[in-house]
Amino acid sequence: MKMLSTKATCNSHGQDSSYFLGWEAYENNPFHHTSNPNGIIQMGLAENQLSFDLLESWLSKNPDAASFKRDGKSIFRELALFQDYHGLPAFKKALVEFMAEIRGNKVSFEANNIVLTAGATSANETLMFCLAEAGDAFLLPTPYYPGFDRDLKWRTGVEIVPIHCTSSNAFQITQRALEQAYKDAQSRNLRVKGVLVTNPSNPLGTTMSRDELNLVFDFITSKGIHLISDEIYSGTVFGSSGFVSAMEVLKERSSQDEEVWKRVHIVYSLSKDLGLPGFRVGAIYSNDDMVVAAATKMSSFGLVSSQTQYLLSAMLSDKKFTTNYITENQKRLKQRQKMLVSGLQKAGINCLDSNAGLFCWVDMRHLLESDTFESELELWKKIVYEVGLNISPGSSCHCTEPGWFRVCFANMSESTLKLAVRRLKSFVTELTSITTSNHRNHHNKICKNIKKNIFTKWVFRQSVQEANRKMQAER
């Protein structure tokens, strides 16, 4: 008799991905500026640590919220007792208003349509359980967040079919790629239930254009399937092109097909925009009452604590704070991204043009020994173990082109980022020098062989001529 379940003993969690193995390497040898200055710098974790001072300043000015008081009186007991899984009304109201503010108040959200979850991980998995059966499929554009292989598939049994995007058009989704992914799913006898996009993109750090979103909307409308728009980076947009939410496009198109209104779902969290992944605050937003009802029931397996909801409802209800925070946070992200891009360019490395997120999509194809994913992994291992930087290889994100890497910039101090860039620059200089030397040695070897061959042929010709002269003399 088996003592453990199939789920417990299977290897489908994705923990053996290079994305997670890089974390393991970092945890075994973490960088510290004094105690371990030669350790591995964590550049594979998309955390936003650039605006903690703004949060801490608000907490110091609002001690009642942090100490669970209302009008100076403790409400600790009230918060400590049982709360149902619908969430605190005050927090849900504050959260939907914050979501609207991030989107420039171009769209509004109803508090009754939101379901609170323990982070975006839980939100995405819950939507899989609500929208699909085991063996059904969702189409995802590549490259995509490596954690989706765990979040969407592991417990639900739902399959992921890639929408292959390439660098030829900056990895934007095309009609051809959508149709091909749909055909690929059908050839595997998978029923496609929807498309999931991350907007802004993780790992690209780019926002989807209105045209690209309309293309996806046309596709899901024609196929009669769902759209999940994971918008957890919506508050990190710092570029001029701005952010267009799926809800904004849906609002513009709502008169075309009322049924589509129920098939578009938003995932959000406060992990990236507020830099609070440890608070485990995620949310599902849907216009389908049945999805909201089912997801609310499922949320009992991953609730947000009442204490967390109370604290954040007070913070997000402070409009002066949220307005300043959004603006200042985006400014800091832009400065930090510029620092990384500029540093990499000086090292001879380019990045995909980006306008959002906590990372850059970095092009190191020219550093590969060959145009293969094996070569990409060899380069990645050198960068992790020799250079001491944990970055994420494109293959872990299911990129179709070897040599791309995701590099995070917002989870460390400015001085640490500068050190990381210096390390990488030294590595590239040394690698280029070795490559140049190898090419030179190879060239010299070829030249020597050519000279040797020429000399050999000359000696042979001389021998033949001498033999011919002797023969003529003998005659």
Side-chain angles (χ1 to χ4, degrees), residues 52-78:
F52 273 162
D53 60 310
L54 302 180
L55 301 174
E56 291 168 338
S57 175
W58 185 90
L59 289 171
S60 66
K61 295 174 183 177
N62 296 270
D64 275 10
S67 56
F68 310 124
K69 292 181 179 179
R70 184 189 297 128
D71 299 327
K73 296 181 179 180
S74 175
I75 58 168
F76 174 78
R77 293 188 181 186
E78 176 185 330

Short mmCIF file of all heavy atoms in Angstrom, two decimals, residues 52-78:
data_model
loop_
_atom_site.label_atom_id
_atom_site.label_comp_id
_atom_site.label_asym_id
_atom_site.label_seq_id
_atom_site.Cartn_x
_atom_site.Cartn_y
_atom_site.Cartn_z
N PHE A 52 10.14 51.41 0.84
CA PHE A 52 9.81 51.03 2.21
C PHE A 52 9.75 52.24 3.14
O PHE A 52 8.96 52.28 4.07
CB PHE A 52 10.84 50.03 2.75
CG PHE A 52 10.52 48.60 2.42
CD1 PHE A 52 11.50 47.63 2.51
CD2 PHE A 52 9.25 48.21 2.02
CE1 PHE A 52 11.22 46.29 2.21
CE2 PHE A 52 8.96 46.89 1.72
CZ PHE A 52 9.94 45.93 1.82
N ASP A 53 10.60 53.22 2.87
CA ASP A 53 10.63 54.39 3.74
C ASP A 53 9.30 55.13 3.73
O ASP A 53 8.88 55.70 4.75
CB ASP A 53 11.76 55.34 3.34
CG ASP A 53 11.62 55.85 1.92
OD1 ASP A 53 11.43 55.01 1.01
OD2 ASP A 53 11.69 57.07 1.71
N LEU A 54 8.60 55.13 2.60
CA LEU A 54 7.29 55.79 2.49
C LEU A 54 6.26 55.06 3.34
O LEU A 54 5.44 55.68 4.02
CB LEU A 54 6.83 55.84 1.04
CG LEU A 54 7.76 56.56 0.04
CD1 LEU A 54 7.15 56.53 -1.35
CD2 LEU A 54 8.02 58.00 0.49
N LEU A 55 6.32 53.71 3.29
CA LEU A 55 5.40 52.90 4.10
C LEU A 55 5.69 53.08 5.58
O LEU A 55 4.77 53.24 6.40
CB LEU A 55 5.51 51.43 3.70
CG LEU A 55 5.23 51.08 2.24
CD1 LEU A 55 5.54 49.61 1.98
CD2 LEU A 55 3.79 51.38 1.87
N GLU A 56 6.96 53.04 5.93
CA GLU A 56 7.35 53.17 7.34
C GLU A 56 7.02 54.55 7.89
O GLU A 56 6.62 54.70 9.06
CB GLU A 56 8.84 52.86 7.49
CG GLU A 56 9.17 51.39 7.25
CD GLU A 56 10.65 51.12 7.11
OE1 GLU A 56 11.40 52.07 6.78
OE2 GLU A 56 11.06 49.97 7.32
N SER A 57 7.14 55.55 7.04
CA SER A 57 6.79 56.91 7.46
C SER A 57 5.29 57.01 7.76
O SER A 57 4.88 57.63 8.76
CB SER A 57 7.17 57.91 6.36
OG SER A 57 6.73 59.21 6.68
N TRP A 58 4.48 56.38 6.90
CA TRP A 58 3.03 56.40 7.13
C TRP A 58 2.69 55.68 8.43
O TRP A 58 1.86 56.16 9.22
CB TRP A 58 2.29 55.74 5.97
CG TRP A 58 0.79 55.84 6.11
CD1 TRP A 58 -0.01 56.84 5.64
CD2 TRP A 58 -0.06 54.92 6.80
NE1 TRP A 58 -1.32 56.61 5.99
CE2 TRP A 58 -1.38 55.44 6.71
CE3 TRP A 58 0.15 53.74 7.47
CZ2 TRP A 58 -2.47 54.79 7.28
CZ3 TRP A 58 -0.94 53.09 8.05
CH2 TRP A 58 -2.24 53.61 7.95
N LEU A 59 3.33 54.54 8.68
CA LEU A 59 3.06 53.78 9.91
C LEU A 59 3.41 54.58 11.16
O LEU A 59 2.67 54.55 12.15
CB LEU A 59 3.87 52.48 9.89
CG LEU A 59 3.41 51.41 8.90
CD1 LEU A 59 4.41 50.27 8.84
CD2 LEU A 59 2.03 50.88 9.28
N SER A 60 4.51 55.32 11.10
CA SER A 60 4.91 56.11 12.27
C SER A 60 3.94 57.26 12.54
O SER A 60 3.76 57.68 13.68
CB SER A 60 6.32 56.66 12.07
OG SER A 60 6.35 57.61 11.01
N LYS A 61 3.29 57.73 11.46
CA LYS A 61 2.33 58.83 11.61
C LYS A 61 0.91 58.33 11.92
O LYS A 61 0.04 59.14 12.25
CB LYS A 61 2.30 59.67 10.33
CG LYS A 61 3.60 60.39 10.03
CD LYS A 61 3.55 61.09 8.68
CE LYS A 61 4.87 61.76 8.36
NZ LYS A 61 4.85 62.40 7.00
N ASN A 62 0.72 57.03 11.80
CA ASN A 62 -0.61 56.44 12.04
C ASN A 62 -0.49 55.24 12.98
O ASN A 62 -0.78 54.10 12.61
CB ASN A 62 -1.24 56.01 10.71
CG ASN A 62 -1.52 57.17 9.78
OD1 ASN A 62 -2.58 57.78 9.81
ND2 ASN A 62 -0.53 57.48 8.93
N PRO A 63 -0.08 55.50 14.23
CA PRO A 63 0.15 54.40 15.18
C PRO A 63 -1.10 53.61 15.53
O PRO A 63 -1.00 52.43 15.87
CB PRO A 63 0.71 55.13 16.41
CG PRO A 63 0.21 56.54 16.28
CD PRO A 63 0.19 56.81 14.82
N ASP A 64 -2.27 54.22 15.43
CA ASP A 64 -3.50 53.49 15.76
C ASP A 64 -3.71 52.30 14.83
O ASP A 64 -4.12 51.22 15.27
CB ASP A 64 -4.72 54.42 15.69
CG ASP A 64 -4.91 55.18 16.99
OD1 ASP A 64 -4.00 55.13 17.85
OD2 ASP A 64 -5.96 55.83 17.15
N ALA A 65 -3.44 52.50 13.54
CA ALA A 65 -3.65 51.42 12.57
C ALA A 65 -2.69 50.27 12.85
O ALA A 65 -3.08 49.10 12.82
CB ALA A 65 -3.44 51.94 11.15
N ALA A 66 -1.43 50.60 13.14
CA ALA A 66 -0.43 49.56 13.37
C ALA A 66 -0.65 48.82 14.68
O ALA A 66 -0.26 47.66 14.83
CB ALA A 66 0.96 50.18 13.34
N SER A 67 -1.28 49.50 15.64
CA SER A 67 -1.52 48.86 16.94
C SER A 67 -2.97 48.40 17.10
O SER A 67 -3.42 48.11 18.20
CB SER A 67 -1.15 49.82 18.08
OG SER A 67 -1.86 51.05 17.96
N PHE A 68 -3.69 48.35 15.98
CA PHE A 68 -5.07 47.84 15.94
C PHE A 68 -5.99 48.61 16.89
O PHE A 68 -6.63 48.03 17.76
CB PHE A 68 -5.10 46.34 16.24
CG PHE A 68 -4.13 45.55 15.42
CD1 PHE A 68 -3.18 44.75 16.03
CD2 PHE A 68 -4.15 45.62 14.04
CE1 PHE A 68 -2.27 44.02 15.27
CE2 PHE A 68 -3.25 44.89 13.27
CZ PHE A 68 -2.30 44.10 13.89
N LYS A 69 -6.02 49.92 16.68
CA LYS A 69 -6.90 50.78 17.46
C LYS A 69 -7.83 51.54 16.53
O LYS A 69 -7.49 51.82 15.38
CB LYS A 69 -6.10 51.77 18.30
CG LYS A 69 -5.29 51.13 19.42
CD LYS A 69 -4.55 52.19 20.23
CE LYS A 69 -3.75 51.56 21.37
NZ LYS A 69 -3.01 52.58 22.14
N ARG A 70 -9.01 51.87 17.03
CA ARG A 70 -9.95 52.70 16.31
C ARG A 70 -10.39 53.80 17.25
O ARG A 70 -10.90 53.53 18.35
CB ARG A 70 -11.15 51.87 15.84
CG ARG A 70 -12.15 52.69 14.99
CD ARG A 70 -13.44 51.91 14.72
NE ARG A 70 -13.18 50.70 13.94
CZ ARG A 70 -13.58 49.50 14.29
NH1 ARG A 70 -14.23 49.33 15.46
NH2 ARG A 70 -13.33 48.45 13.55
N ASP A 71 -10.17 55.05 16.82
CA ASP A 71 -10.48 56.21 17.68
C ASP A 71 -9.79 56.08 19.04
O ASP A 71 -10.34 56.42 20.09
CB ASP A 71 -11.99 56.35 17.88
CG ASP A 71 -12.72 56.56 16.57
OD1 ASP A 71 -12.15 57.21 15.67
OD2 ASP A 71 -13.86 56.07 16.43
N GLY A 72 -8.55 55.57 19.00
CA GLY A 72 -7.77 55.48 20.22
C GLY A 72 -8.06 54.27 21.09
O GLY A 72 -7.36 54.02 22.07
N LYS A 73 -9.08 53.47 20.73
CA LYS A 73 -9.44 52.29 21.54
C LYS A 73 -9.07 51.00 20.80
O LYS A 73 -9.25 50.88 19.59
CB LYS A 73 -10.94 52.31 21.83
CG LYS A 73 -11.38 53.50 22.68
CD LYS A 73 -12.88 53.44 22.96
CE LYS A 73 -13.32 54.62 23.82
NZ LYS A 73 -14.79 54.58 24.09
N SER A 74 -8.54 50.05 21.55
CA SER A 74 -8.10 48.79 20.97
C SER A 74 -9.27 47.99 20.39
O SER A 74 -10.32 47.86 21.02
CB SER A 74 -7.38 47.94 22.02
OG SER A 74 -7.06 46.67 21.50
N ILE A 75 -9.05 47.48 19.19
CA ILE A 75 -10.03 46.56 18.58
C ILE A 75 -9.36 45.21 18.33
O ILE A 75 -9.78 44.46 17.46
CB ILE A 75 -10.61 47.14 17.27
CG1 ILE A 75 -9.49 47.41 16.26
CG2 ILE A 75 -11.43 48.39 17.53
CD1 ILE A 75 -10.01 47.71 14.85
N PHE A 76 -8.33 44.93 19.10
CA PHE A 76 -7.57 43.69 18.93
C PHE A 76 -8.48 42.47 19.03
O PHE A 76 -8.40 41.56 18.22
CB PHE A 76 -6.46 43.60 19.98
CG PHE A 76 -5.73 42.29 19.95
CD1 PHE A 76 -4.77 42.04 18.99
CD2 PHE A 76 -6.02 41.30 20.88
CE1 PHE A 76 -4.10 40.82 18.95
CE2 PHE A 76 -5.36 40.07 20.84
CZ PHE A 76 -4.39 39.85 19.87
N ARG A 77 -9.34 42.45 20.06
CA ARG A 77 -10.21 41.29 20.24
C ARG A 77 -11.15 41.12 19.06
O ARG A 77 -11.41 40.00 18.61
CB ARG A 77 -11.01 41.43 21.54
CG ARG A 77 -10.16 41.37 22.79
CD ARG A 77 -11.03 41.32 24.04
NE ARG A 77 -10.21 41.28 25.25
CZ ARG A 77 -10.71 41.12 26.49
NH1 ARG A 77 -12.04 41.00 26.65
NH2 ARG A 77 -9.91 41.09 27.53
N GLU A 78 -11.66 42.23 18.56
CA GLU A 78 -12.58 42.17 17.41
C GLU A 78 -11.90 41.55 16.20
O GLU A 78 -12.49 40.72 15.49
CB GLU A 78 -13.06 43.59 17.08
CG GLU A 78 -13.94 43.68 15.85
CD GLU A 78 -14.28 45.12 15.50
OE1 GLU A 78 -14.36 45.97 16.41
OE2 GLU A 78 -14.48 45.39 14.29
#
